[in-house]
Amino acid sequence: MAELETFRRETRDWLLKNAPPDIVGLPANDLEGNWGGRRATYAVPGMKTWLLRMAERGWTAPSWPKEYGGGGLAPGEAKVLSQEMTRLRLPPPLIGFGLTMIGPTLLQYGNEEQKREHLGRICRGEIRWCQGYSEPGAGSDLASLQTKAVRDGDDFIVTGTKIWTSYADKADWIFALVRTDPAAKKQDGITFLLIDMLTPGISVRPILLISGKSPFCETHFESVRVPVRNVVHKINAGWTVAKSLLGHERSMIADAFGGAGAGQRTARLSALASLARERLGDARGQIADPVLRDRIALEDMDTRAFGFTVQRAKDGAKAGHRPGPESSIFKVYATELNMRRRELMVQTLGPSGIGWEGPGFTESDLETTREWLRSRGNSIEGGTSEVQLNIIAKRVLGLPD
Amino acid sequence: MELILTEDQELLAKTAADFVSEHSPVSRVRKLRDAKDPVGFSKELWKQMAELGWLGIPFPEVVGGAGLGFAELAVVLEALGRTLAPEPFLSTVLLGGQVLLLGGTEVQQKEWLPPVVNGDCILTAAYQEPQTRYDLRRVATRADRKADGWRLSGEKIQVLDGHVADALVVVARTSGGEHDAKGLTLFLVRKGAPGLEITRQSRVDSRNAALVKLSGVAVGPSEVIGAVDEGGDLFENVVDRATVGLCAEMLGSMEEAAASTFKYLKTRVQFGVPIGSFQALKHRAARMYIELELSRSTVMAAARAVDEDHPELPKLASLVKARCSDAGILIANEAIQMHGGVGMTDEYDVGFYLKRARVAEITFGDASHHRDRWARLSGY
Ligand SMILES: Cc1cc2nc3c(=O)[nH]c(=O)nc-3n(C[C@H](O)[C@H](O)[C@H](O)COP(=O)(O)OP(=O)(O)OC[C@H]3O[C@@H](n4cnc5c(N)ncnc54)[C@H](O)[C@@H]3O)c2cc1C
């Protein structure tokens, strides 16, 4: 404990000394922030400095091994670092699918050469990754995917179409599931491949979402040559890797939507409650609309309860317990919390919450509306809620097929 | 706070689970109910629980307690909740005992707490009145000052284990009007006191409750607990703690109701397949599980908040009670529905869980009451 306190002091001092002032207070969640990559753009100039300094210390990936560019922190230390960053209102220096999805997967399944090639570049924010799982014909039934990879000497020739590929237009590399054995049972003929997006034959077409933004794309592969050494784990054993990565993806989504630190005490009024007081006024110190007030309280309380659940899993992991069944509920519940919150925000705005663009609406109200629309995808991306419930019923409750 | 069980707590959980499955099946509750048992629980088991050290868990060693906390108590209460054990934990350890622990003088504690810990004394609190609903401060029972102390007059309802209690903590008004938050005082009234009339009540869960009528009951100055006129805050704190304990019990009941339902889903066959293979039921079962796990996390957090004397305890007590009230009812309702016709029979146990879930929901305030309180405490 005493060592942790020393670590806390040193960490705080270092952060205070090294965090550029213009990054303080920037959004600290996993969806907004600095994605890095070959074509990185920075919200403020200090963000680039912040990334460089933190990466040098290994603190873009605090708990990864030092030899691969991480910070080598023990779970307790990583928690302290994140607490201190929260306290000082410092955003993460880097976010993205490299850190949350492919990195942890490579640590588990990658060979030495792959770890050396990719992990450091992820930690330094040099390469941005995207995820090529879904296809037009393979969504929830992911294992029925058809993008094929045919062996040609030391290469595979990849042909097919991926869809809903988030940020494919901005990414430098893609991790993709491809079919390498069409004759095998569907889960047994899949291989997990790492592909440089600059390889000839890849084309990307952005797709517009109902929110008016287009963060996801159709990604087309036309005879794309990929070296066999880019296979993660073994040929035809990609399904195991794919599932493990989905686990990382789901906990990332859970963290992003209220898991991280939500069990901690929040002294200030919740964002929802203060918005409601501001817009609806109050009656005797209470939000004027009692029904909305009740729903906001429910949302705040469920958020807190969920935060405690995430904390329970983390404390258990820290104590060396194997991940318990409680982690299977994170994806469903976290996304539903976020979706409820977004809906409540729009309902709180009332007539100001239904603007699309232009005069009569403030920038922040328009953003709230777009965010509400975007949030409808939360219970679809990363495996739909129905699929998560299937998993809980089967794996946790042992209900029959 | 760390939300994991220590090794000692794991061990305690196991001891409690073993004890409960050996000595306290649900059939025991059924027998007590059907026989209209005059005591309403088993004095023998109560004594055994004392010998196991459970009644002393949240009390200091000077009064014979174990000097542990609610984190440990919650583990035991959860086990007891699994089979709806009707022993008087809530009344004696969580209400009466906590009032004395937090507000009693050394003399009062020495007199009452050792016998509580030994299982020789039943305590309770008489606070609810016909018009109270969930507002702990809405008290009409009066304590009139006399030269030698006070005279208590008023009517209390649904006093837990009232008819078997050796003493009752009575919340009475020493100043102000019925709706005033201030002006409440806690008095200890011994059983058999002249002017004290106790009538057993019957509620859906068949646990002990009683009407208590006070007609000029005389109490001396030494029977005041805490400061005169300042009892409201003390009692609210006690109820927050008791609420956390009750929620641990509710958690155990939910667990069991859910577990027996999941088991039924695997064994009951219709249309040639186990009904648990129907997705309409699977998803609802998964929802029950989610609610259960969130409830467990909040119970753990709130119990640790009691032990840490956390400034947010009132909020967390409301958080855990709102959650366990809603989850408890959801799970019990679904348990009956998924059992079909047999779930509606008195012969089957699930009905006992629904009845207890309803009573527990109403005890110390339902979910909407606690959401209102949470919002108030959060400043909106
Ligand atoms: C915003 C967003 C970003 C995304 N980003 C990516 C990405 O970066 N990379 C990537 O590979 N994919 C991505 N996806 C795709 C996402 O993973 C799929 O949309 C998702 O898995 C569902 O597949 P589908 O769209 O084909 O729907 P379908 O599988 O066709 O499902 C349609 C409906 O049927 C239900 N359903 C299907 N099967 C079952 C079942 N067995 N039981 C009960 N109900 C069922 C579903 O729950 C859903 O309600 C993204 C999606 C969104 C919305």
Side-chain angles (χ1 to χ4, degrees):
Chain A
M1 278 299 113
E3 289 128 64
L4 261 195
E5 282 318 303
T6 312
F7 178 77
R8 185 185 296 279
R9 242 190 343 270
E10 289 169 2
T11 301
R12 192 180 310 166
D13 290 347
W14 188 89
L15 290 171
L16 279 169
K17 217 161 82 214
N18 287 281
D22 59 350
I23 62 156
V24 177
L26 289 181
N29 60 43
D30 259 2
L31 295 181
E32 305 165 79
N34 177 26
W35 291 81
R38 290 172 184 149
R39 291 162 286 166
T41 52
Y42 302 97
V44 294
M47 186 53 103
K48 188 169 182 186
T49 319
W50 181 226
L51 169 64
L52 289 173
R53 288 182 183 160
M54 286 289 275
E56 201 185 322
R57 219 177 157 81
W59 283 2
T60 51
S63 50
W64 292 9
K66 276 195 165 143
E67 49 180 324
Y68 300 124
L73 299 189
E77 294 171 328
K79 187 170 170 183
V80 167
L81 172 59
S82 113
Q83 284 169 347
E84 291 307 313
M85 286 174 62
T86 309
R87 195 200 305 270
L88 299 173
R89 300 179 51 236
L90 303 176
L94 181 68
I95 59 169
F97 304 157
L99 288 175
T100 53
M101 291 196 237
I102 187 65
T105 306
L106 285 177
L107 279 171
Q108 194 179 355
Y109 288 103
N111 59 35
E112 194 53 36
E113 191 192 334
Q114 288 167 341
K115 289 189 212 173
R116 298 229 169 264
E117 180 179 357
H118 297 290
L119 294 178
R121 295 199 290 175
I122 290 173
C123 292
R124 293 189 299 274
E126 293 165 6
I127 292 296
R128 179 169 178 175
W129 286 84
C130 66
Q131 175 187 33
Y133 273 31
S134 306
E135 297 181 5
S140 300
D141 181 14
L142 179 61
S144 68
L145 58 95
Q146 295 300 332
T147 295
K148 65 173 193 246
V150 181
R151 184 77 182 248
D152 179 30
D154 287 341
D155 294 334
F156 279 113
I157 312 288
V158 178
T159 303
T161 301
K162 295 289 176 183
I163 199 156
W164 322 134
T165 327
S166 295
Y167 309 113
D169 54 340
K170 300 195 173 70
D172 308 307
W173 278 67
I174 184 169
F175 51 91
L177 297 177
V178 294
R179 184 155 303 284
T180 34
D181 184 354
K185 192 183 132 214
K186 61 182 180 179
Q187 285 87 353
D188 296 340
I190 295 172
T191 297
F192 193 106
L193 265 188
L194 309 177
I195 307 173
D196 188 331
M197 292 292 278
L198 294 176
T199 321
I202 301 180
S203 56
V204 171
R205 182 180 65 87
I207 301 169
L208 203 60
L209 292 189
I210 55 173
S211 63
K213 298 186 178 169
S214 55
F216 66 16
C217 305
E218 184 183 78
T219 310
H220 190 67
F221 296 84
E222 189 63 61
S223 305
V224 176
R225 232 168 227 287
V226 183
V228 172
R229 64 181 167 80
N230 285 4
V231 170
V232 177
H233 199 41
K234 298 188 199 91
I235 293 172
N236 292 330
W239 188 242
T240 311
V241 187
K243 281 192 298 187
S244 158
L245 184 138
L246 279 175
H248 297 300
E249 177 176 12
R250 286 165 192 167
S251 55
M252 177 271 290
I253 293 175
D255 269 0
F257 295 140
Q264 254 101 70
R265 181 178 183 195
T266 42
R268 62 198 164 75
L269 219 52
S270 74
L272 258 177
S274 49
L275 184 71
R277 286 192 76 153
E278 182 194 315
R279 297 307 173 98
L280 300 166
D282 59 73
R284 284 170 290 112
Q286 300 183 354
I287 293 168
D289 179 337
V291 176
L292 197 60
R293 174 174 176 265
D294 181 70
R295 289 200 197 137
I296 290 172
L298 177 62
E299 170 72 14
D300 284 352
M301 293 169 90
D302 284 346
T303 301
R304 193 73 184 273
F306 179 69
F308 282 133
T309 308
V310 173
Q311 189 194 333
R312 178 152 68 92
K314 287 188 176 161
D315 288 346
K318 221 167 54 185
H321 301 179
R322 295 202 338 181
E326 62 272 9
S327 56
S328 63
I329 70 181
F330 292 167
K331 206 276 164 173
V332 189
Y333 204 82
T335 53
E336 287 178 358
L337 273 176
N338 189 53
M339 293 160 81
R340 263 160 57 188
R341 184 158 49 234
R342 300 288 176 191
E343 253 182 331
L344 279 167
M345 291 188 86
V346 169
Q347 288 170 334
T348 300
L349 293 184
S352 308
I354 50 176
W356 183 252
E357 60 188 10
F361 302 101
T362 67
E363 215 33 64
S364 98
D365 288 353
L366 291 172
E367 191 56 30
T368 301
T369 310
R370 303 285 181 122
E371 286 295 338
W372 151 63
L373 286 163
R374 171 62 184 85
S375 74
R376 298 317 300 171
N378 296 162
S379 50
I380 299 170
E381 59 201 311
T384 68
S385 289
E386 288 78 10
V387 166
Q388 303 308 310
L389 293 173
N390 286 346
I391 293 173
I392 295 170
K394 182 173 174 161
R395 302 269 160 70
V396 183
L397 307 182
L399 296 180
D401 279 328
Chain B
M1 66 176 76
E2 294 257 292
L3 299 184
I4 39 171
L5 295 187
T6 62
E7 262 171 47
D8 286 346
Q9 289 162 357
E10 297 266 14
L11 204 67
L12 181 62
K14 178 152 190 334
T15 315
D18 291 347
F19 179 86
V20 165
S21 67
E22 194 182 329
H23 299 287
S24 181
V26 185
S27 57
R28 190 167 71 85
V29 180
R30 182 186 295 280
K31 271 199 210 115
L32 288 165
R33 178 196 70 173
D34 293 348
K36 293 202 179 2
D37 185 274
V39 175
F41 62 90
S42 161
K43 285 193 161 166
E44 196 191 323
L45 271 194
W46 185 239
K47 196 71 191 161
Q48 282 181 38
M49 292 178 192
E51 277 154 22
L52 284 165
W54 294 354
L55 312 193
I57 287 176
F59 298 109
E61 283 160 27
V62 285
V63 296
L68 295 169
F70 274 59
E72 286 77 18
L73 190 59
V75 160
V76 170
L77 290 168
E78 182 187 331
L80 294 169
R82 287 197 79 119
T83 59
L84 306 173
E87 275 59 39
F89 260 94
L90 195 48
S91 56
T92 303
V93 175
L94 289 162
L95 286 173
Q98 294 296 309
V99 167
L100 284 158
L101 180 67
L102 299 184
T105 61
E106 212 182 305
V107 176
Q108 288 168 334
Q109 291 184 351
K110 280 237 171 77
E111 178 182 358
W112 293 102
L113 293 181
V116 161
V117 169
N118 291 333
D120 295 327
C121 168
I122 306 297
L123 295 179
T124 190
Y127 63 97
Q128 242 185 319
E129 300 182 2
Q131 79 293 354
T132 308
R133 200 167 164 87
Y134 306 132
D135 183 354
L136 297 172
R137 312 281 178 139
R138 188 157 174 203
V139 173
T141 295
R142 301 209 50 84
D144 296 316
R145 188 114 213 196
K146 297 280 147 145
D148 59 347
W150 281 267
R151 298 287 179 280
L152 306 186
S153 303
E155 200 185 333
K156 300 286 184 181
I157 61 166
Q158 303 196 19
V159 177
L160 304 177
D161 299 301
H163 79 292
V164 284
D166 296 290
L168 306 89
V169 173
V170 175
V171 184
R173 188 158 286 291
T174 34
S175 68
E178 190 188 310
H179 293 272
D180 284 345
K182 294 268 170 210
L184 298 176
T185 306
L186 309 185
F187 296 92
L188 198 82
V189 175
R190 290 159 202 261
K191 100 175 152 191
L196 177 68
E197 194 185 319
I198 299 182
T199 315
R200 202 171 174 185
Q201 286 185 287
S202 171
R203 305 192 300 180
V204 285
D205 66 344
S206 62
R207 289 229 197 147
N208 286 336
L211 291 171
V212 170
K213 197 154 179 250
L214 302 134
S215 315
V217 174
V219 283
S222 64
E223 310 288 49
V224 172
I225 309 174
V228 173
D229 281 349
E230 304 294 333
D233 289 347
L234 170 60
F235 195 67
E236 194 169 326
N237 187 9
V238 167
V239 169
D240 277 339
R241 291 164 160 248
T243 299
V244 175
L246 172 63
C247 288
E249 182 207 315
M250 293 166 84
L251 174 67
S253 308
M254 279 182 234
E255 254 166 38
E256 186 56 33
S260 66
T261 306
F262 300 154
K263 197 165 137 210
Y264 194 72
L265 291 178
K266 292 174 202 170
T267 48
R268 167 72 175 169
V269 172
Q270 283 296 284
F271 300 98
V273 291
I275 55 171
S277 62
F278 301 135
Q279 199 177 54
L281 300 189
K282 272 187 183 169
H283 283 190
R284 279 156 57 191
R287 293 278 176 195
M288 290 163 72
Y289 172 76
I290 291 175
E291 293 302 322
L292 185 60
E293 286 305 309
L294 283 153
S295 301
R296 175 184 305 288
S297 313
T298 46
V299 167
M300 290 178 81
R304 280 151 189 76
V306 174
D307 294 339
E308 289 171 14
D309 242 332
H310 202 289
E312 273 200 308
L313 174 62
K315 274 181 78 172
L316 294 181
S318 281
L319 173 66
V320 71
K321 185 56 170 51
R323 164 146 286 288
C324 290
S325 296
D326 279 349
I329 290 293
L330 170 88
I331 289 174
N333 282 348
E334 288 288 56
I336 293 205
Q337 177 67 20
M338 294 189 199
H339 276 84
V342 77
M344 283 299 293
T345 62
D346 183 66
E347 192 191 329
Y348 222 77
D349 287 342
V350 291
F352 280 72
Y353 286 86
L354 175 64
K355 290 170 177 170
R356 180 59 192 158
R358 184 105 270 156
V359 171
E361 175 205 27
I362 301 299
T363 305
F364 304 143
D366 64 8
S368 68
H369 167 78
H370 281 287
R371 285 198 294 272
D372 172 61
R373 184 169 180 254
W374 163 282
R376 218 167 352 97
L377 293 170
S378 303
Y380 63 91

